[in-house]
DNA sequence: CCTACAATCTGTAGCCACTACAGATGCAAG
DNA sequence: CTTGCATCTGTAGTGGCTACAGATTGTAGG
């Protein structure tokens, strides 16, 4: 199958597929005489693995590791990678929640008709 | 004051200060004969505003807007920008929470000693 | 006044994970 | 043989910095 079909099948843009090949995530497929890439089911499965991993927020580096671990059936190591990523995600949630609180406080303090200084600008100026 | 002192005062790296100038966030300060930048209290306040806004997750584009609104004392408009950003943050939290759940499910399903297929690899392959 | 050394200067390239072109080909149907 | 879409390569752009290299400026000590 050609790259367009692979893209349609996996939901990954053509340019992104070529990008994954360039950075070594997806093996270079054989070519036609006219240098068009020819993929098979194996490539499609790999690409689906990559897409699912990306959807779960793994970095391309992590995915490289996961693909390798999957080939070598090292599921314990994969669990570690996943737990580390989960930690990361939780950290991001926590820091976004702090942002959310701060932003809520700012907007709640800012009531229309208030003639004095604006609490939003005060907060941003470091006075809040 | 020179750029090093401004950096120390505001907690923003020298390169970042120059970057902000380059992208039009911070006005070009006057220079010494030898082209060294000379800042005053006004620059320092602006930079603090920028730093606080960055800490709250505003994009540089948003910050440009907020700085302008602050100059023109348009606090209602600033409130809108802030609410929009708050929405953004909440959206990110929601999607990270979905990730968190999915990752939790994967790692919980993966118990050591399980001899069959690995639920992590299954999930990533699109079978989960 | 001279030297040493720190601070600053400009310009460029790199990071991540793509995305968006331009301009040149390949390939299949009519 | 032409039309027209698909694919090719290569490069540049995104955001928000960061990290250099190599040149210059400023300043304190001798």
């Amino acid at each position: 199958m050609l790259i367009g079909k692979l893209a349609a099948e996996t939901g990954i843009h053509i340019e992104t597929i070529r990008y994954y090949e360039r950075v070594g995530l997806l093996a270079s497929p054989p070519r036609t005489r006219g240098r068009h890439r020819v993929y098979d089911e194996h490539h499609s499965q790999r690409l689906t693995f990559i897409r699912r991993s990306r959807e779960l927020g793994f970095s391309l580096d992590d995915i490289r590791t996961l693909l390798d671990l999957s080939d070598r059936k090292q599921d314990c190591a994969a669990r570690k990678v996943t737990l580390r990523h989960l930690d990361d995600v939780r950290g991001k949630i926590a820091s976004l929640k702090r942002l959310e609180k701060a932003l809520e406080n700012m907007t709640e303090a800012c009531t229309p008709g208030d003639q004095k200084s604006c609490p939003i600008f005060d907060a941003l100026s470091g006075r809040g």
Side-chain angles (χ1 to χ4, degrees), chain A:
Chain A
M1 104 186 84
L2 295 182
I3 198 167
K5 183 148 185 285
L6 182 64
E9 210 175 280
T10 59
I12 295 193
H13 291 160
I14 290 177
E15 294 91 339
T16 306
I17 295 175
R18 286 195 287 246
Y19 168 73
Y20 286 162
E21 181 183 337
R22 206 164 65 243
V23 299
L25 259 190
L26 197 65
S28 300
R31 306 283 189 120
T32 64
R33 285 188 194 174
R35 295 173 307 157
H36 287 198
R37 292 167 177 82
V38 183
Y39 298 96
D40 60 21
E41 211 32 55
H42 181 68
H43 291 101
S44 179
Q45 282 170 22
R46 284 242 141 182
L47 206 46
T48 297
F49 188 106
I50 296 171
R51 181 176 56 72
R52 291 276 304 135
S53 305
R54 285 296 297 140
E55 283 167 4
L56 288 165
F58 286 102
S59 69
L60 296 193
D61 247 24
D62 276 351
I63 297 174
R64 232 183 302 268
T65 304
L66 287 171
L67 279 168
D68 181 54
L69 292 174
S70 166
D71 287 344
R72 300 192 288 113
K73 315 216 158 131
Q74 302 284 324
D75 28 346
C76 267
R79 190 162 191 274
K80 266 183 202 156
V81 173
T82 306
L83 283 173
R84 191 169 44 66
H85 178 50
L86 179 53
D87 249 31
D88 236 54
V89 169
R90 284 176 176 153
K92 276 182 189 152
I93 291 172
S95 91
L96 281 174
K97 277 193 177 169
R98 280 193 295 274
L99 283 198
E100 186 189 21
K101 271 241 163 62
L103 290 168
E104 275 169 359
N105 289 342
M106 277 167 59
T107 52
E108 276 164 22
C110 178
T111 51
D114 205 338
Q115 293 304 329
K116 299 200 176 181
S117 73
C118 170
I120 290 181
F121 292 142
D122 287 354
L124 294 178
S125 302
R127 271 168 274 137

